[in-house]
Amino acid sequence: MISIFDIFKIGLGPSSSHTVGPMKAAAAFSDSLQQNGLLESVQRIVAETYGSLALTGLGHGTFDAILLGLEGSLPHNVPLADMPARLQRIRERHELHLRGRTLAFCPDTDLLIHGDETLPLHPNGLRFSAYDANGECLISQVYYSVGGGFVVTEEGFGQEQTVETAVPYPFKSAAELLARCREEQLNICEVVLANEMALSGSSEAEVRARVAAVADAMEGCIKRGLGSDGNLPGGLNVRRRAPQLAAKLKVLRETEIVNTQLWPMVYAMAVNEENAAGGRVVTAPTNGAAGIIPAVLHYYRKFNPHASQERVENFLLTAGAIGILYKTNASISGADVGCQGEVGVACSMAAGAYAEAIGGTPKQVENAAEMAMEHHLGLTCDPVGGLVQIPCIERNGIAAEKALKLGALALLEDGTGKKVSLDEVIQTMLQTGRDMKSTYKETSLAGLAVTLQQKPVPVSVRVVEC
């Protein structure tokens, strides 16, 4: 089992796989130098990116993230205000601060971009190497950023989900999860809550407090997005739209001619505009799809008269269970399976969670989650300019509105008699992703990215001549 807090993590925009993951990988390599007693011997570090990370890294802030990670920063606590000065120091003075040491580092020669090469296990590959004064390699390590901020080494690939702690209600599939619910007469949120208590050794109140903190972080991101204006960075000159759209909806609300289900679209766009601006968001389950679950949850809190704090927490517990199923049985990486693995998964999580929040049975929850993914199958990841802006921001809004409708639709039926199960649609999504051309999987080599042919402008890092 993995924890729902591995699914819901405080991260840094604009991408969990291309920003959060590379920063964590770089920090892990920096840690390994210290752990292996090599810090004093290191005279040069070389960082290399491959595949999707190389092709869309500029627009995703990958190279910034690597530099900050090598200096020991992590996505959840890196001081945002300090980032520009630190990056300027590295690129202009060619100085990397490595665990108390100042090391010469030139991005032009020490940060290599291999857009025409992909490492064998995943499209998001990185290699870090450290050399001594004689040019001898002291240590080299390959990492893969496998989606949602998860990072694994080459040696640990495929084993990242193993946890030894026993849980009371283990499940590896939706069928097993539903069986646990039937056997114990529990809702999905109750199964997950018991498992989280076992995984962390915490009380119910402590687990619920952590879930509530995630909900508050999501809420805060919506408010920041609705309160910010101007153009997003990256060179496309995409204007933030959420604040103006929200203002128009408020005016229409006063005239009583507005459909309230337009609100979750605006909430989702607000979050993803924050993400595109490099702000703090909650991976849900990724940054590129970070707006969907917060939007549906905020809509529930605001417009459902039966909403309560406990039901808000149950919403996220249920969403986390569905996310675990996708993470353990398929993929949540756009570079691996396309946007169906990001926006599709987030929509599935949100639809199932909303179904439970409004009174659905476990079977109805499964039905809602299945329908949401069924209608995202084959969704490509073709970001214009490698930026998480077009079509990502609007796509989150559309998926949020879809999740609400499918969650409500599921409660009109008992969930039995469906021809396709959640387990089957998860496997179909994985196979569809495997069959999808690589050019449509977060490479910006096809689709809208080619149609508009826009090149990103680096937000803060520019490669300099040494």
Side-chain angles (χ1 to χ4, degrees), residues 310-328:
E310 181 177 355
R311 290 187 178 186
V312 165
E313 294 158 11
N314 291 346
F315 179 105
L316 288 175
L317 289 165
T318 303
I322 298 167
I324 288 170
L325 292 173
Y326 281 99
K327 171 61 182 167
T328 55

Side-chain angles (χ1 to χ4, degrees), residues 2-50:
I2 61 174
S3 168
I4 64 165
F5 299 109
D6 292 321
I7 301 294
F8 298 126
K9 299 184 290 292
I10 305 297
L12 189 69
S15 172
S16 50
S17 60
H18 287 59
T19 315
V20 174
M23 185 181 289
K24 291 170 65 177
F29 182 73
S30 182
D31 285 341
S32 74
L33 296 177
Q34 190 169 46
Q35 293 164 2
N36 288 288
L38 298 174
L39 274 179
E40 295 305 315
S41 303
V42 174
Q43 294 300 314
R44 183 189 180 205
I45 289 178
V46 175
E48 301 174 82
T49 59
Y50 297 85

Side-chain angles (χ1 to χ4, degrees), residues 165-176:
T165 305
V167 295
Y169 308 118
F171 61 89
K172 294 183 179 179
S173 66
E176 289 182 2

Side-chain angles (χ1 to χ4, degrees), residues 364-433:
Q364 289 169 325
V365 169
E366 186 237 11
N367 186 17
E370 183 279 324
M371 287 191 291
M373 175 51 73
E374 186 175 328
H375 301 292
H376 278 95
L377 290 174
L379 188 62
T380 61
C381 183
D382 54 347
V384 176
L387 299 165
V388 190
Q389 297 178 17
I390 304 172
C392 320
I393 295 171
E394 283 185 358
R395 185 172 285 175
N396 271 253
I398 293 168
E401 188 257 354
K402 186 184 295 186
L404 276 167
K405 290 183 176 178
L406 292 175
L409 177 64
L411 265 68
L412 299 179
E413 302 174 295
D414 62 10
T416 62
K418 290 284 291 183
K419 298 298 182 183
V420 181
S421 70
L422 179 56
D423 288 327
E424 289 169 331
V425 85
I426 289 173
Q427 287 305 306
T428 301
M429 185 273 280
L430 178 62
Q431 187 57 51
T432 302

Side-chain angles (χ1 to χ4, degrees), residues 213-232:
V214 170
D216 289 345
M218 290 178 170
E219 182 100 351
C221 193
I222 291 174
K223 291 179 179 178
R224 289 193 302 276
L226 291 176
S228 303
D229 213 333
N231 286 354
L232 295 170

